[in-house]
């Protein structure tokens, strides 16, 4: 889907602006954000692991998809293991979880719920659109896989082993291109558990910067 990145960025931008307005300007809103309800430590301890789950869904998924993600020839095989064993679109699910985990401490629950639902509906529409092309490209193999594994939520059935074994390079690239999810998760867990150390915030920012560079380079290679 050509415009999926623009849609994803738009949701993150809107949520970022809302967070900045509420935190920087201390706007008076009917419902407080999670950090105001339970405190920063608890909010971070709740959202940190969610970000790590998002990292696993995306990184493990990208490591298996490999060539289609990192700019070589598109994959012609149905990937059925790793997070693809649980759902057909783990990368989109990881993106959505990261969105929720990132902004939950700062955005009032009602507003966050509205944004999260709208984002989920957009990602679902993108997934449905892309499945049409996957069915046309991969044929019966995709049809069989789609019949056994839910799009996002559900009880997965049995599927054949795809034989894909990601190597160290695939894992390294997948980790680098999802580094912010890993960094956010670990940072919030450490801060929430009061295990802060000097330079922790700077290290987190460095990881985010490396992630941005990796994503930009990946997009440039794919073109």
């Amino acid at each position: 889907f050509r415009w999926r990145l623009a849609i994803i960025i738009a949701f993150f931008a809107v949520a970022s602006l809302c967070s900045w307005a509420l935190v920087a300007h201390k706007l008076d809103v009917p419902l407080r954000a999670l950090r105001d309800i339970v405190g920063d430590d608890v909010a971070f301890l709740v959202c940190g692991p969610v970000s790590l789950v998002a990292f696993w869904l995306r990184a493990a998924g990208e490591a298996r998809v490999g060539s289609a993600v990192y700019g070589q020839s598109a994959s012609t095989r149905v990937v059925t293991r790793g997070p693809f064993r649980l759902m057909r679109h783990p990368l989109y699910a990881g993106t959505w979880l990261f969105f929720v985990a990132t902004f939950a401490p700062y955005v009032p629950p009602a507003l966050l719920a509205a944004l999260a639902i709208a984002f989920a509906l957009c990602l679902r529409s993108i997934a449905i659109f892309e499945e049409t092309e996957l069915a046309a490209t991969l044929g019966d193999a995709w049809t069989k896989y789609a019949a056994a594994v839910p799009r996002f939520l559900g009880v997965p059935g049995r599927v054949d082993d795809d034989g894909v074994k990601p190597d160290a390079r695939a894992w390294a690239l997948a980790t680098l291109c999802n580094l912010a999810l890993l960094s956010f998760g670990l940072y919030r867990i450490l801060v929430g558990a009061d295990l802060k150390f000097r330079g922790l915030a700077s290290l987190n920012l460095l990881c985010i910067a490396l992630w941005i560079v990796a994503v930009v380079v990946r997009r440039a290679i794919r073109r």
Side-chain angles (χ1 to χ4, degrees):
F1 186 76
R2 183 177 181 182
W3 302 107
R4 63 178 179 270
L5 182 59
I7 292 172
I8 291 170
I9 291 175
F11 273 96
F12 274 85
V14 170
S16 297
L17 288 173
C18 292
S19 300
W20 172 78
L22 292 168
V23 174
H25 297 279
K26 296 181 173 57
L27 298 182
D28 184 19
V29 293
L31 293 175
R32 297 176 298 165
L34 184 62
R35 63 182 298 189
D36 297 322
I37 298 172
V38 299
D40 283 350
D41 292 349
V42 175
F44 280 11
L45 283 174
V46 169
C47 295
V50 176
S51 185
L52 294 184
V53 172
F55 167 76
W56 177 77
L57 287 171
R58 287 195 55 86
E62 288 189 6
R64 286 185 170 276
V65 175
S67 61
V69 175
Y70 297 111
Q72 297 95 33
S73 59
S75 175
T76 57
R77 178 186 300 180
V78 177
V79 180
T80 62
R81 291 301 178 183
F84 292 97
R85 175 69 181 81
L86 304 175
M87 64 183 73
R88 303 201 295 268
H89 300 279
L91 273 65
Y92 289 151
T95 300
W96 185 84
L97 284 177
F98 181 56
F99 175 83
V100 173
T102 299
F103 298 107
Y106 307 106
V107 177
L111 177 57
L112 179 66
L115 290 172
I117 291 172
F119 194 21
L121 291 175
C122 286
L123 291 176
R124 181 179 179 274
S125 297
I126 293 171
I128 293 173
F129 179 88
E130 292 181 346
E131 285 184 3
T132 303
E133 182 176 351
L134 288 169
T137 303
L138 303 175
D140 291 340
W142 170 261
T143 302
K144 182 179 178 181
Y145 167 72
V149 178
R151 182 173 290 122
F152 291 108
L153 296 175
V155 179
R158 183 176 179 179
V159 292
D160 297 331
D161 192 335
D162 55 22
V164 176
K165 299 185 183 302
D167 57 18
R169 178 178 179 274
W171 279 110
L173 286 171
T175 299
L176 182 61
C177 289
N178 292 282
L179 191 58
L181 287 70
L182 176 63
S183 180
F184 259 99
L186 294 177
Y187 174 79
R188 288 186 167 179
I189 290 173
L190 291 173
V191 171
D194 199 25
L195 297 175
K196 299 184 288 258
F197 56 85
R198 185 176 181 182
L200 177 61
S202 297
L203 178 60
N204 184 46
L205 291 174
L206 175 61
C207 288
I208 295 172
L210 288 174
W211 167 71
I212 293 173
V213 171
V215 171
V216 170
V217 170
R218 184 181 72 183
R219 296 290 298 181
I221 291 175
R222 291 185 67 180
R223 292 174 183 171

